[in-house]
Amino acid sequence: NAPVGIVITHRDRIDVANRQAGHMLGYAADVLRGHEASVLCGSAADYNALIQRVQSEFAAHGAFDGDVCFTRKDGGPVWARVQGRRLDGAGTVDGEVGTVWFLEDLTAAREALRQQGWAALHDPLTLLPNRSAFEQRLQQMLVQQAMYPLGSEDSAPDAVGVLLFLDLDHFTVVNDFAGHDAGDDVLRHVARLIDVQVRQVGWAARLGGDEFAVVLPGCTPARGHAVAEQLCATLRDWQPAYQERTFTLGASIGLVVLSPRWPTVAELLHAADMTCYAAKRAGRNCVVVHHQGQSVFGEM
């Protein structure tokens, strides 16, 4: 009846398992008795790795204390803080030392931490990566490009990558006329449209408000321009209706080629933002390309 799981093993077999241990692991306690301890691990490799870890801890500290991921009877993972102590072998049949294990269930706590970590890097409305996650991932790409610059043996000539900076056109009209709930619905749907369009060749993020970004790793400028034009067409053709009124949206897109000449993500994003603004001034729902320090129109 102890509030923690208690398991006693002897010669790699389970001699005792209390009710709480059985509950954690998905077994009736008496079912575990007599089983090989390896039944609690997902595979022989996992069990062997755990045994090596346990032996190392006992050799160094005379005890074991660490987090372990076991496998429940239904195949699901269960995390536990495990403390192990050697038992005097005087009470055993063969006089050999056994081990008592105390298990504290950490599964719920670990899941909460995982969800918190996911939430910290994702936009709760659209479920896309947020600006922080976007900047982190983009920074990793810039570092990688600096290590393998264009023209090196490790880089294909055209594998430069493209960044698209999108700002929705006429979005404020939806908010002003139909309200913020309708605006949120538009943002969710736009996020899905963008994600579906680019998921095979890149990844998307919501930067905030009605601004989105798309990164197309290894994409040539010409191919990136074609993807941007397709995004414009897709968003223009989608006409949501709220309160018996149909709305026409669109996207102004700034295209910037990813290359080692961008020393920081901040400078890259500033260039993309300004190029997107140039698309707004050009009449909206179009693609403007950043080229050699200035924004130019048309195909590259």
Side-chain angles (χ1 to χ4, degrees):
N1 295 320
V4 296
I6 300 175
V7 175
I8 298 176
T9 59
H10 176 230
R11 287 190 168 187
D12 292 330
R13 286 187 177 272
I14 299 172
D15 279 355
V16 176
N18 75 338
R19 183 182 304 170
Q20 178 62 15
H23 176 72
M24 288 173 56
L25 299 165
Y27 294 86
D30 57 348
V31 172
L32 283 173
R33 294 179 193 137
H35 272 288
E36 295 282 347
S38 59
V39 72
L40 303 181
C41 293
S43 66
D46 290 342
Y47 182 66
N48 289 333
L50 178 58
I51 288 296
Q52 292 179 7
R53 182 180 167 196
V54 167
Q55 290 175 343
S56 175
E57 287 284 316
F58 270 106
H61 309 293
F64 179 87
D65 190 341
D67 294 354
V68 176
C69 184
F70 295 109
T71 300
R72 288 174 52 87
K73 184 180 181 181
D74 60 12
V78 54
W79 280 93
R81 182 190 178 189
V82 179
Q83 294 177 294
R85 302 289 185 271
R86 295 298 190 196
L87 290 175
D88 185 348
T92 63
V93 175
D94 52 17
E96 290 190 3
V97 175
T99 308
V100 59
W101 306 95
F102 300 93
L103 282 63
E104 178 186 356
D105 195 342
L106 300 179
T107 306
R110 281 201 167 237
E111 177 63 17
L113 288 175
R114 187 192 69 81
Q115 291 182 359
Q116 289 173 13
W118 187 93
L121 295 174
H122 288 78
D123 171 50
L125 179 65
T126 65
L127 305 184
L128 290 177
N130 59 20
R131 190 182 190 98
S132 177
F134 168 79
E135 292 180 353
Q136 290 179 31
R137 192 168 178 181
L138 192 55
Q139 178 64 42
Q140 292 173 356
M141 286 188 60
L142 291 176
V143 170
Q144 187 175 15
Q145 283 195 345
M147 293 174 61
Y148 303 106
L150 299 180
S152 72
E153 294 180 356
D154 298 290
S155 176
D158 293 324
V160 292
V162 167
L163 167 64
L164 306 179
F165 192 106
L166 294 80
D167 189 291
L168 296 184
D169 298 326
H170 314 299
F171 175 72
T172 56
V173 177
V174 178
N175 264 340
D176 293 343
F177 180 85
H180 290 288
D181 286 346
D184 287 348
D185 188 60
V186 165
L187 292 174
R188 282 190 292 265
H189 193 83
V190 166
R192 287 194 296 270
L193 289 176
I194 294 173
D195 187 49
V196 168
Q197 287 280 93
V198 307
R199 66 174 55 167
Q200 298 299 322
V201 291
W203 47 276
R206 183 190 179 197
L207 302 184
D210 59 349
E211 294 179 343
F212 295 83
V214 171
V215 174
L216 306 173
C219 183
T220 64
R223 175 58 179 157
H225 193 279
V227 172
E229 291 284 6
Q230 183 58 48
L231 284 171
C232 280
T234 298
L235 295 174
R236 182 182 61 247
D237 292 343
W238 178 59
Q239 296 185 332
Y242 302 99
Q243 299 182 17
E244 300 182 353
R245 174 176 171 177
T246 300
F247 297 86
T248 300
L249 300 171
S252 298
I253 302 180
L255 184 154
V256 180
V257 174
L258 298 177
S259 72
R261 77 182 184 87
W262 297 110
T264 66
V265 168
E267 292 182 52
L268 174 58
L269 283 179
H270 178 72
D273 190 10
M274 292 299 98
T275 308
C276 179
Y277 180 65
K280 290 282 189 186
R281 290 183 298 164
R284 303 175 186 269
N285 200 55
C286 65
V287 181
V288 172
V289 179
H290 187 277
H291 182 64
Q292 294 182 349
Q294 61 181 351
S295 297
V296 296
F297 297 91
E299 300 286 340
M300 297 188 67

